[in-house]
């Protein structure tokens, strides 16, 4: 009994540590590209990246930036690894909560940890592992409340849910699931003025995170996607109007094909055996407890409904929380297999029953080795210094006063350069300008651009930048 209790205690910890160890071995060692580079430096600048501002991510990344290890880029990459490992830990905890099986919990957690898309985000600076951890934590805590009816767990779950809005707004899709579980478990919660006031206060505290965006935008930091703050501009960013055609742009007739695409993506994360077991586990959870099954299904369906009706290129990343839920179902299936075998050998002699159960446990625990082996090469960023070398070469050649013309085709390069200039060098005077904002800088500072960029008007004279292949210095304007 003591050994069982010890195993239950250590299983989630082991899941997280094993995951983190693999992530650390495959971590991007330096500056990344595009949004990855941007998220590496946004915390240091207290900037406002992208449309929602990500106030929680900015604050946490600022704290991680103080760690006394490696470069700033490495620390923020490490932050993703930490939260990815914690997300895997939540999978183990949820499985153990539902089926009381630490072996199934560890296997499900590691299968999720080493899944293709999730692992790719665990080794670079991005918001998706923090999002997965927060959603996993909300699901675990609310299920714990559902089983125990302890008020403090309800408040903690709602508080975590409110907090998660500060990282990624896709968590809004969990609202039907949260509302269902509260109503199905104890609808009287919504009739209790005290409990309603506490939960409302927690949501207000979560919303208060966006005061950072409002106040910081007025100070116009170096990175400020909002520009000078206005309520109209902020609402424009916070709603679909900023990205016409990307949100819910698919018709009803498209939905069958979107489901096919999703199922293919899901199968790619867990491979054929995991995919089949996951659906079996969903059925086992449905039979065991309808309410917890519906809650988990609504979480996954909310994520699915939004992500698969989004027309942008980050669909597969938005789907990560649905993979987390599927991993929970995988754990339920693995536990069901163990229970089935235990029933078969119950009346057999111990010399036969014990080795069979032990062999099955070993097989289940070794299952994650397959995705680990299959996905390692694709996920491994440990030798990727391409953008590190590119950005440092440019910055060292250009010097502290350069102006760089923005270019959408070279967005990845641009953000890597800005990371080195702003975060590593501290050259806050360096500027980026749009192709239409070049004139005021001519003759004042060296203006660099990507040679032959189609967005730059032909009237500008571009000369090859010495020592910087593919780059040009804009030296003047041709006479009409």
């Amino acid at each position: 009994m003591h050994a069982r209790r010890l195993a239950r205690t250590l299983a989630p910890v082991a899941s997280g540590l094993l995951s983190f160890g693999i992530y650390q071995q495959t971590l991007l060692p330096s500056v990344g590209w595009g949004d990855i580079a941007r998220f590496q430096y946004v915390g240091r600048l207290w900037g406002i990246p992208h449309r929602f501002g990500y106030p929680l991510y900015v604050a946490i990344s600022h704290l991680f930036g103080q760690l006394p290890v490696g470069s700033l880029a490495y620390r923020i990459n490490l932050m993703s690894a930490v939260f990815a490992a914690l997300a895997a830990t939540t999978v183990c905890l949820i499985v153990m909560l539902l089926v009381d099986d630490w072996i199934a919990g560890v296997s499900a957690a590691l299968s999720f940890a080493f899944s293709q898309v999730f692992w790719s985000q665990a080794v670079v600076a991005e918001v998706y592992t923090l999002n997965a951890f927060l959603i996993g934590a909300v699901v675990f805590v609310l299920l714990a409340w559902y089983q125990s009816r302890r008020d403090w767990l309800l408040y903690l779950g709602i508080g975590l849910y409110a907090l998660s809005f500060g990282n990624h707004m896709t968590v809004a899709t969990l609202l039907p699931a949260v509302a269902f579980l509260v109503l199905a478990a104890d609808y009287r919660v919504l009739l209790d003025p005290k409990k309603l006031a506490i939960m409302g206060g927690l949501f207000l505290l979560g919303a208060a995170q966006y005061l950072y965006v409002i106040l910081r935008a007025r100070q116009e930091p170096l990175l400020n996607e909002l520009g000078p703050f206005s309520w109209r501009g902020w609402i424009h960013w916070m709603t679909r109007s900023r990205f016409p055609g990307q949100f819910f742009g698919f018709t009803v007739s498209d939905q069958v094909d979107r489901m096919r695409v999703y199922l293919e993506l899901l199968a790619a994360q867990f491979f054929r055996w995991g995919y089949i077991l996951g659906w079996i586990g969903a059925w086992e959870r449905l039979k065991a407890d309808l309410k917890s099954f519906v809650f988990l299904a609504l979480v996954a369906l909310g994520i699915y409904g939004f992500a698969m009706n989004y027309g942008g290129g980050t669909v597969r990343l938005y789907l990560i929380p649905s993979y987390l839920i599927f991993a929970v179902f995988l754990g339920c299936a693995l536990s069901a297999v163990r229970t089935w075998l235990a029933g078969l050998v119950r009346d057999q002699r111990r010399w036969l029953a014990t080795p069979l159960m032990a062999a099955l446990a070993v097989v289940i625990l070794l299952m994650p080795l397959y995705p680990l082996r299959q996905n390692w090469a694709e996920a491994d960023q440990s030798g990727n210094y391409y953008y590190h070398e590119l950005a440092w070469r440019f910055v060292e050649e250009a010097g502290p006063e350069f102006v760089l013309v923005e270019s959408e085709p070279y967005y990845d390069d641009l953000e890597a350069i800005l990371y080195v200039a702003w975060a590593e060098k501290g050259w806050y005077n360096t500027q980026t300008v749009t192709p239409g904002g070049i004139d005021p800088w001519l003759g004042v500072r060296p203006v660099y651009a990507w040679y032959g960029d189609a967005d730059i008007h032909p009237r500008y004279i571009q000369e090859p930048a010495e020592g910087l292949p593919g780059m040009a210095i804009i030296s003047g304007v041709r006479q009409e």
Side-chain angles (χ1 to χ4, degrees), residues 434-446:
T434 64
I438 296 172
D439 286 2
W441 300 101
L442 292 176
V444 179
R445 292 194 194 178

Side-chain angles (χ1 to χ4, degrees), residues 47-49 213 216-229:
I48 300 175
V213 179
R216 187 60 174 149
R218 294 182 184 277
Q219 298 173 343
E220 298 190 33
L222 277 173
L223 177 62
N224 184 9
E225 287 277 359
L226 288 179
F229 180 81

Side-chain angles (χ1 to χ4, degrees), residues 391-433:
W392 276 97
R393 181 169 60 246
F394 176 88
V395 169
E396 296 290 358
E397 289 286 342
E401 298 294 320
F402 71 83
V403 174
L404 186 57
V405 181
E406 296 171 5
S407 173
E408 186 172 346
Y410 294 96
Y411 173 71
D412 288 350
D413 299 15
L414 182 142
E415 289 297 329
I417 290 169
L418 291 179
Y419 163 81
V420 172
W422 288 344
E424 294 290 351
K425 289 289 194 179
W427 294 349
Y428 299 128
N429 286 330
T430 58
Q431 299 283 333
T432 63
V433 296

